[in-house]
Amino acid sequence: MNDTREHILKVAFNLFLLKSYKEVTMAELVEKTGMSKGAFYHYFKSKEQLFLEALKNCMSSITPDFSIFDKNSLYEFYHQYVVYQNRILNSLQLYGDDLDRGLTVDYYSLVFDALKVFPSLREKLLEHEQDELKAWKGIISTARKNGEIRPFMNDEQIAKVFIYTNDGIAIRIGLMKDRSEDVSDISDNLLELWDGFYMELKG
């Protein structure tokens, strides 16, 4: 992706986060990029096209590559996951330094906005959800076989506890605190809960 296109996507993503899809205008997008109208329209012909690509660009950057995490230890897997997520959330701050609310709340709001405009986006989200569930179930199954854990729940139930607590903490902290506190608070709270849950799984 060339630098100009990347610049437009970052500016657009920031504006959509600050406002909403409906509130942002093409004129505003052109103005904020500092580009001429002709140069801007060379890359994006409509707000719909820009909105979808900006969101997909962000989603691609924050979707974990589960293959890089430890495949033999559940403890190492979820600790590496938190470090990875922390790094990704910090990198997202580059998209908008003027945000006052929780970044995670703004992001989820943007996704809900997108689902109204582009219902087909739900398939991409479901695909990611299945990939995430598969990765968690895989490491949990390995941990069970290796004797690392002695779970009182099946693999899918355990996987969903990890996934859903991650989502829930991100949204709750995003609602309650300002954006500057999001990253560290999410990581700390997540590890505290996951470590406690892990100790229960160890039996």
Side-chain angles (χ1 to χ4, degrees):
M1 187 182 299
N2 67 46
D3 291 343
T4 302
R5 192 177 190 86
E6 180 71 18
H7 169 67
I8 294 172
L9 288 171
K10 286 187 176 183
V11 170
F13 185 78
N14 181 30
L15 281 173
F16 288 129
L17 278 177
L18 281 168
K19 297 185 175 183
S20 69
Y21 170 74
K22 288 184 178 180
E23 292 177 343
V24 176
T25 66
M26 281 297 276
E28 186 177 14
L29 286 163
V30 172
E31 178 190 348
K32 292 292 186 181
T33 61
M35 299 171 64
S36 69
K37 190 173 181 180
F40 184 94
Y41 276 85
H42 171 73
Y43 291 96
F44 296 98
K45 307 298 183 190
S46 68
K47 184 172 76 167
E48 290 83 359
Q49 178 198 2
L50 179 52
F51 179 55
L52 184 59
E53 192 164 335
L55 183 58
K56 283 184 174 179
N57 190 48
C58 175
M59 288 172 67
S60 295
S61 71
I62 66 175
T63 299
D65 176 5
F66 291 101
S67 68
I68 67 174
F69 302 145
D70 194 294
K71 297 177 180 62
N72 299 306
S73 165
L74 174 60
Y75 181 86
E76 292 299 328
F77 180 94
Y78 76 74
H79 273 258
Q80 289 171 14
Y81 179 95
V82 170
V83 171
Y84 179 93
Q85 179 175 262
N86 191 58
R87 187 171 71 248
I88 292 301
L89 288 174
N90 273 311
S91 72
L92 272 182
Q93 293 183 11
L94 298 174
Y95 279 92
D97 298 328
D98 299 326
L99 299 176
D100 294 323
R101 298 164 299 177
L103 172 62
T104 51
V105 173
D106 289 317
Y107 174 72
Y108 282 115
S109 295
L110 199 63
V111 171
F112 288 131
D113 250 3
L115 287 171
K116 293 175 186 175
V117 182
F118 304 103
S120 62
L121 187 64
R122 189 175 302 276
E123 292 176 18
K124 186 173 181 64
L125 292 172
L126 289 173
E127 183 180 314
H128 165 65
E129 181 181 319
Q130 289 306 308
D131 289 343
E132 186 174 19
L133 185 61
K134 181 180 178 181
W136 279 102
K137 285 171 66 177
I139 186 60
I140 290 162
S141 175
T142 297
R144 182 195 299 271
K145 290 173 185 174
N146 291 345
E148 180 185 359
I149 59 174
R150 297 176 178 80
F152 47 90
M153 304 161 71
N154 66 44
D155 294 351
E156 183 162 333
Q157 290 171 330
I158 297 168
K160 286 180 177 179
V161 170
F162 280 105
I163 294 169
Y164 296 165
T165 51
N166 181 34
D167 293 341
I169 286 174
I171 292 174
R172 186 173 184 84
I173 289 178
L175 284 170
M176 301 302 293
K177 304 205 174 209
D178 69 41
R179 183 172 178 270
S180 64
E181 298 172 290
D182 272 5
V183 175
S184 60
D185 278 14
I186 290 172
S187 298
D188 292 346
N189 280 270
L190 200 53
L191 275 180
E192 182 181 355
L193 280 177
W194 282 359
D195 281 343
F197 183 49
Y198 177 77
M199 293 307 295
E200 290 295 323
L201 293 173
K202 282 176 66 70

